[in-house]
């Protein structure tokens, strides 16, 4: 905390410091001044023996608002030498002994006087701090700052990614989390901001955040009942979780009731009372997106992200890659979904670089299980943002423990990445030829391993394949029908998402050459073809649950049509699609007061609409026998009254005969 903030905390301003009473003394004689000086020297000697040495603040030292600046300036402070140390250093270039002795005497006298002045200043500081009631607060703030510096330094040194290269690939930059940064780079600041001027009248002061910037049209933010706690820290990795207060839990129960009512107006009414309820914002955003109100849908997602960011733990860091959130906890899932939906809005808006930062952020929250399966998307965003080298580096680092080559998206994207590198004008010709040959080999291997990608890809790119390619058995309809269900889901997902990066003319010519070479290798009975065929039969039998969840969130028609029946037959909620089977619940929803009537007959539902207490299945509701008998009598009376009313209604029905015409000799063919 800076000295300016500490002055504000004490209620002081610049130039209004408390005056020392010792300075406001009356004029005394020389004898009294000598006695006071001797007493002060004795007190200084006692204070220097009793008190520990206090670290003095350098005049050139700044008041840092960022703790990382303090860490970076440690070396600079070590290199700086105080004037006393410079005076004590011997001068190697002595030319005149007399002059040197005079200088040494001057420096010695200056050092003695300087030490005495410093001791007096130190005494004044000790007096002020001892009398100041906020001295303990300053010490606590300094200790907290040192703890945060130590924790962040440990997390940066002992990160999950292990090496500096891997950390640099998945490193998240704060400035790239703002979409305006990318739009300004494309169109300029004037085109993005326009004539926007800050309005100082009736302006609300919001908390500064990294992911979203609050808008003036939003409701006033208050405590929502969401908080983040630190569960444990192990090997430099910090595990956090969100928690809901009692009031927020009650709002969550009301939200679940509103979802079961299948009426969006109930969610709107709930948001009017609780404008920052997360699940209501996510669910209503889906409703607005279905109704093609994209602006409102994006605004609701940003409001949810702002609510989450205001509840961050002080140690939770977006960029270090060492903060974890367990997806098994329902309180944490909404944060994942809000980040994912915001990322998809950014990608559709034309900000792939910003969307890539959010993709890396989601992946860093749980890289082991990857609950939203961001590895199926990160390669596409890197190609869209032209981050070719980071994509190849990620593939090289993760291939050993994640087998990225077995995913169709990485098999084709890495080959396409090498091809784009070979087409760069500033590259050396030899290096360009090397990248081109490597791209050819990787694309051919990808086509041999995943032959079912070619024909759907050409279809979406509106390219008519050659007759030899369309009639060949290897790329024909048999290659798509004979795919395992999990492989069909992965290939359809990749084709539906990444078809846009293959529509360039140069890329299509390169693909045509590789397809011809693959057909030649198939006809010559290349052993790699048989090997890949056996791998496809053994693997890809069933996809894990996180892949199904990713397909549902992607909303790609080609991929959702290939989902298994076990996924499509169960209800999918937009605020929690396909929750994990081993969820860790911190609180449960109370049971409803009445049992659902899903198996009741039509007659039973009719009587229940008239009398809510009616139950034909004999499931008693904890009433006494007298109340049950009374309810039965009331039921009989109501039924009798209903039958009497229906009998009277049928008896009073009269049918009117059509009017007869007075002219019986009227011609039927004559117009009226």
């Amino acid at each position: 905390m800076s000295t300016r903030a500490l002055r504000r905390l004490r209620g002081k301003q610049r130039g209004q410091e408390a005056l020392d009473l010792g300075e406001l003394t009356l004029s005394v004689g020389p004898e009294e001044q000598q006695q006071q000086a001797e007493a002060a020297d004795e007190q200084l000697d006692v204070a220097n023996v009793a008190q520990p040495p206090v670290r003095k603040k350098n005049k050139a030292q700044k008041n840092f608002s960022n703790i990382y600046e303090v860490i970076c300036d440690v070396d600079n402070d070590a290199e700086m030498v105080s004037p006393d140390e410079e005076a004590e250093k011997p001068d190697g270039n002595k030319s005149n002994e007399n002059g040197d002795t005079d200088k040494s005497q001057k420096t010695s006298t200056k050092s003695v006087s300087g030490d005495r002045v410093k001791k007096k200043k130190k005494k004044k500081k000790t007096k002020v701090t001892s009398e100041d009631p906020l001295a303990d607060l300053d010490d606590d703030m300094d200790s907290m700052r040192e703890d945060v510096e130590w924790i962040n330094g440990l997390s940066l040194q002992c990160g999950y990614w292990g090496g500096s290269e891997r950390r640099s690939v998945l490193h998240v930059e704060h400035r790239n989390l703002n979409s305006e940064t990318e739009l300004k780079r494309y169109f300029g600041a004037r085109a993005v901001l326009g004539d926007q001027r800050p309005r100082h009248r009736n302006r609300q002061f919001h908390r500064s955040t990294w992911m979203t910037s609050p808008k003036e049209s939003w409701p006033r933010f208050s405590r929502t009942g969401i908080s983040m706690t630190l569960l444990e820290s192990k090997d430099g990795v910090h595990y956090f979780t969100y928690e809901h207060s009692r009031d927020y839990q009650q709002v969550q129960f009301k939200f679940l009731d509103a979802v079961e009512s299948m009426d969006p107006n109930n969610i709107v009414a709930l948001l009017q009372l609780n404008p920052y309820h997360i699940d209501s914002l996510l669910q209503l955003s889906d409703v607005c997106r279905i109704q093609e109100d994209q602006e409102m849908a994006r605004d609701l997602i940003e409001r949810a992200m702002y609510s989450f960011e205001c509840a961050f733990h002080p140690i939770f860091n977006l960029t270090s890659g060492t903060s974890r959130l367990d997806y098994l906890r329902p309180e944490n899932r909404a944060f994942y979904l809000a980040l994912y939906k915001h990322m998809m809005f950014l990608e559709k808006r034309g900000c792939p670089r910003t969307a890539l930062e959010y993709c890396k952020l989601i992946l860093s929250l749980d890289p082991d299980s990857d609950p939203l399966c961001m590895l199926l998307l990160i390669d596409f965003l890197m190609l869209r943002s032209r981050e070719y080298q980071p994509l190849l580096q990620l593939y090289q680092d993760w291939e050993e423990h994640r087998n990225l080559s077995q995913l169709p998206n990485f098999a084709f994207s890495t080959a396409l990445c090498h091809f784009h590198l070979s087409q760069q004008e500033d590259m050396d010709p030899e290096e360009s030829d090397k990248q081109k040959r490597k791209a050819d080999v990787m694309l051919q291997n990808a086509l041999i391993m995943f032959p079912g990608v070619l024909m759907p890809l050409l279809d979406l790119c509106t390219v008519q394949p050659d007759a030899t390619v369309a009639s060949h058995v290897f790329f024909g309809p048999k290659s798509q029908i004979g795919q395992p269900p999990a492989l069909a889901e992965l290939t359809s997902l990749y084709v539906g998402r990444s078809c846009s990066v293959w529509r360039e003319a140069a890329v299509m010519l390169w693909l045509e050459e590789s397809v011809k070479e693959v057909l030649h290798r198939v006809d010559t009975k290349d052993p790699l073809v048989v090997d890949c065929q056996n791998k496809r039969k053994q693997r890809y039998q069933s996809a894990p649950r996180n892949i199904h969840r990713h397909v549902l969130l992607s909303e790609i028609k080609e991929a959702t049509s290939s989902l298994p029946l076990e996924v499509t037959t169960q209800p999918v909620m937009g605020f929690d699609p396909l929750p994990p089977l081993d969820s860790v619940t911190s609180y449960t929803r109370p049971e409803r007061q009445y049992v659902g009537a899903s198996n009741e007959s039509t007659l039973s539902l009719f009587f229940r609409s008239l009398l809510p207490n009616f139950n034909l299945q004999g499931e008693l509701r904890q009433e006494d026998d007298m109340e049950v008998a009374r309810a039965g009598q009331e039921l009989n009376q109501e039924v009798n009254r209903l039958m009497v009313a229906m009998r009277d209604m049928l008896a009073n029905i009269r049918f009117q005969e059509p009017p007869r015409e007075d002219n019986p000799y009227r011609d039927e063919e004559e117009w009226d």
Side-chain angles (χ1 to χ4, degrees):
M1 182 178 291
S2 62
T3 56
R4 182 180 179 184
L6 289 175
R7 283 200 304 268
R8 289 183 177 179
L9 189 61
R10 297 191 186 107
K12 299 178 181 179
Q13 296 182 0
R14 186 182 297 273
Q16 295 183 1
E17 292 81 5
L19 295 177
D20 191 0
L21 297 178
E23 297 176 357
L24 300 177
T25 57
L26 298 175
S27 60
V28 295
E31 297 179 357
E32 295 179 0
Q33 290 181 358
Q34 185 176 1
Q35 293 177 0
Q36 291 178 0
E38 293 176 357
D41 292 336
E42 293 177 359
Q43 292 179 359
L44 283 174
D45 296 335
V46 175
N48 291 331
V49 174
Q51 294 181 357
V54 180
R55 187 177 62 182
K56 293 175 290 186
K57 184 177 179 180
N58 191 8
K59 294 182 180 179
Q61 185 177 357
K62 300 179 181 179
N63 294 325
F64 296 99
S65 60
N66 189 358
I67 58 176
Y68 297 103
E69 298 179 6
V70 181
I71 298 175
C72 297
D73 291 340
V74 172
D75 299 333
N76 298 331
D77 294 340
E79 294 176 0
M80 295 176 61
V81 182
S82 62
D84 297 337
E85 294 177 356
E86 291 180 355
E88 293 175 1
K89 287 183 179 180
D91 190 2
N93 300 324
K94 294 184 178 180
S95 60
N96 190 2
E97 295 180 356
N98 296 327
D100 294 338
T101 55
D102 295 338
K103 292 181 181 179
S104 62
Q105 291 177 359
K106 292 181 180 179
T107 54
S108 62
T109 55
K110 289 183 180 178
S111 62
V112 172
S113 62
D115 293 337
R116 185 169 299 175
V117 171
K118 290 178 182 178
K119 289 181 180 180
K120 291 183 179 180
K121 290 183 178 179
K122 188 183 297 184
K123 180 182 178 182
K124 291 182 180 180
K125 289 183 180 180
T126 53
K127 285 184 178 180
V128 173
T129 53
S130 62
E131 295 176 358
D132 193 356
L134 296 177
D136 298 336
L137 180 60
D138 297 342
D139 298 338
D140 295 338
M141 295 301 296
D142 294 337
S143 61
M144 289 174 61
R145 185 186 301 174
E146 293 176 358
D147 294 339
V148 172
E149 291 175 5
W150 178 81
I151 292 173
N152 289 333
L154 180 62
S155 64
L156 291 174
Q157 293 176 1
C158 305
Y160 173 83
W161 311 117
S164 60
E165 295 181 355
R166 186 174 299 176
R167 186 171 60 248
S168 63
V169 171
L170 294 177
H171 176 68
V172 179
E173 298 181 2
H174 277 142
R175 62 185 181 89
N176 289 330
L177 292 175
N178 190 0
S179 59
E180 291 185 358
T181 304
E182 187 173 3
L183 293 176
K184 289 177 185 177
R185 187 165 59 249
Y186 294 154
F187 308 106
R190 180 172 297 180
V192 175
L193 299 178
D195 296 333
Q196 296 180 5
R197 295 180 180 178
R199 298 179 179 179
H200 298 283
R201 297 182 60 184
N202 298 329
R203 185 177 63 178
Q204 299 180 9
F205 293 93
H206 299 277
R207 177 180 176 180
S208 60
T209 53
W210 288 108
M211 296 188 296
T212 57
S213 56
K215 301 178 181 179
E216 297 295 334
S217 59
W218 289 0
R220 183 178 295 274
F221 183 79
S222 59
R223 297 187 62 181
T224 58
I226 300 178
S227 61
M228 179 183 284
T229 58
L230 176 63
L231 296 178
E232 62 175 347
S233 297
K234 183 170 57 177
D235 298 333
V237 180
H238 311 295
Y239 297 88
F240 300 90
T241 184
Y242 280 103
E243 291 183 351
H244 294 169
S245 63
R246 291 292 182 87
D247 296 337
Y248 193 90
Q249 294 177 12
Q250 298 299 324
V251 177
Q252 185 72 15
F253 298 152
K254 294 179 182 179
F255 165 74
L256 296 177
D257 295 339
V259 171
E260 291 181 356
S261 66
M262 305 297 291
D263 188 2
N265 295 323
N266 295 332
I267 302 178
V268 174
L270 184 63
L271 271 179
Q272 291 178 354
L273 299 176
N274 306 275
Y276 288 93
H277 182 254
I278 302 299
D279 289 343
S280 299
L281 293 171
L282 297 179
Q283 190 70 23
L284 192 60
S285 175
D286 292 340
V287 175
C288 294
R289 185 172 48 81
I290 293 173
Q291 296 177 356
E292 297 183 355
D293 191 357
Q294 301 293 333
E295 188 68 24
M296 186 63 184
R298 185 172 69 248
D299 186 77
L300 293 173
I301 294 298
E302 291 179 358
R303 197 195 302 180
M305 293 177 58
Y306 178 75
S307 179
F308 272 124
E309 191 169 3
C310 289
F312 278 174
H313 194 273
I315 307 178
F316 186 83
N317 197 340
L318 294 172
T319 61
S320 63
T322 58
S323 300
R324 301 286 184 269
L325 282 175
D326 192 1
Y327 193 81
L328 298 180
R329 298 179 179 272
E331 296 86 354
N332 299 335
R333 296 173 199 162
F335 184 60
Y336 279 88
L337 296 175
L339 290 176
Y340 184 90
K341 293 175 188 269
H342 183 64
M343 176 191 63
M344 298 308 298
F345 279 124
L346 290 171
E347 194 271 330
K348 293 178 182 178
R349 194 183 177 186
C351 301
R353 186 66 182 86
T354 310
L356 176 61
E357 293 298 314
Y358 281 97
C359 182
K360 294 189 291 185
L361 174 59
I362 298 173
L363 184 59
S364 66
L365 292 177
D366 195 355
D368 295 331
S369 59
D370 193 8
L372 298 186
C373 210
M374 303 310 297
L375 289 177
L376 299 178
L377 176 63
I378 190 172
D379 62 304
F380 170 70
L381 295 177
M382 284 185 172
L383 288 175
R384 284 284 310 276
S385 56
R386 299 181 181 180
E387 297 287 333
Y388 302 132
Q389 290 294 345
L391 176 58
L392 296 178
Q393 188 174 349
L394 176 65
Y395 176 78
Q396 181 181 1
D397 294 341
W398 286 52
E399 170 63 20
E400 297 179 359
H401 62 283
R402 299 300 289 268
N403 294 325
L404 298 183
S405 60
Q406 303 303 314
L407 297 175
N409 58 319
F410 269 95
F412 284 91
S413 295
T414 50
L416 187 60
C417 186
H418 282 289
F419 175 77
H420 284 300
L421 288 176
S422 66
Q423 300 298 316
Q424 292 181 355
E425 298 179 355
D426 56 348
M427 183 170 288
D428 186 45
E430 296 181 358
E431 184 67 22
S432 179
D433 295 338
K434 182 180 178 180
Q435 294 288 344
K436 182 64 168 56
R437 290 193 298 269
K438 195 169 185 178
D440 294 340
V441 173
M442 295 185 71
L443 181 59
Q444 294 173 16
N445 294 337
L447 289 171
I448 292 175
M449 184 65 190
F450 308 105
V453 174
L454 180 63
M455 299 307 292
L457 181 62
L458 296 178
D459 188 13
L460 290 179
C461 293
T462 63
V463 175
Q464 186 67 26
D466 192 3
T468 56
V469 177
S471 60
H472 202 279
V473 181
F474 190 73
F475 290 116
K478 186 178 179 181
S479 63
Q480 302 179 18
I481 299 174
Q483 289 185 124
L487 182 58
E489 186 176 351
L490 291 174
T491 54
S492 58
L493 177 67
Y494 173 72
V495 170
R497 172 178 288 155
S498 304
C499 61
S500 59
V501 298
W502 291 88
R503 290 176 179 172
E504 299 180 9
V507 175
M508 275 297 168
L509 292 176
W510 169 59
L511 179 62
E512 182 181 1
E513 297 174 358
S514 300
V515 168
K516 292 180 180 179
E517 183 65 26
V518 167
L519 291 179
H520 177 70
R521 294 174 62 178
V522 171
D523 295 337
T524 56
K525 303 297 180 61
D526 193 335
L528 181 62
V529 178
V530 181
D531 187 18
C532 292
Q533 185 177 1
N534 295 331
K535 289 181 180 179
R536 288 195 302 270
K537 291 181 180 179
Q538 296 175 1
R539 305 171 183 175
Y540 311 106
Q541 294 301 322
S542 61
R545 197 173 180 85
N546 59 343
I547 293 181
H548 298 327
R549 190 181 299 116
H550 179 88
V551 171
L552 289 174
L553 291 173
S554 65
E555 297 182 354
I556 298 176
K557 297 179 181 179
E558 294 81 6
T560 53
S561 60
S562 61
L563 287 171
L565 293 176
E566 60 183 7
V567 178
T568 56
T569 54
Q570 60 179 331
V572 178
M573 299 298 177
F575 63 93
D576 191 8
L578 290 182
L581 301 178
D582 52 348
S583 299
V584 180
T585 57
S586 58
Y587 63 93
T588 57
R589 182 185 179 187
E591 297 181 358
R592 304 295 297 271
Q593 296 180 358
Y594 58 90
V595 184
S598 58
N599 297 326
E600 296 183 3
S601 61
T602 306
L603 181 61
S604 177
L605 293 175
F606 172 70
F607 284 121
R608 183 178 291 278
S609 63
L610 297 176
L611 298 173
N613 293 327
F614 175 75
N615 189 4
L616 187 63
Q617 297 179 352
E619 297 176 355
L620 301 181
R621 307 274 184 84
Q622 298 180 358
E623 289 91 356
D624 297 332
D625 295 338
M626 296 297 294
E627 295 181 357
V628 174
R630 190 181 303 108
Q633 293 178 1
E634 293 178 357
L635 174 62
N636 294 331
Q637 293 177 2
E638 294 292 336
V639 171
N640 293 332
R641 292 174 185 173
L642 178 63
M643 296 301 294
V644 171
M646 294 179 63
R647 191 179 298 111
D648 294 340
M649 182 182 64
L650 294 175
N652 293 329
I653 293 178
R654 295 289 185 272
F655 296 97
Q656 296 181 357
E657 296 180 359
R660 297 181 181 180
E661 296 181 357
D662 296 336
N663 187 8
Y665 302 100
R666 182 182 177 184
D667 190 1
E668 295 180 356
E669 297 179 358
E670 184 180 359
W671 290 95
D672 293 338

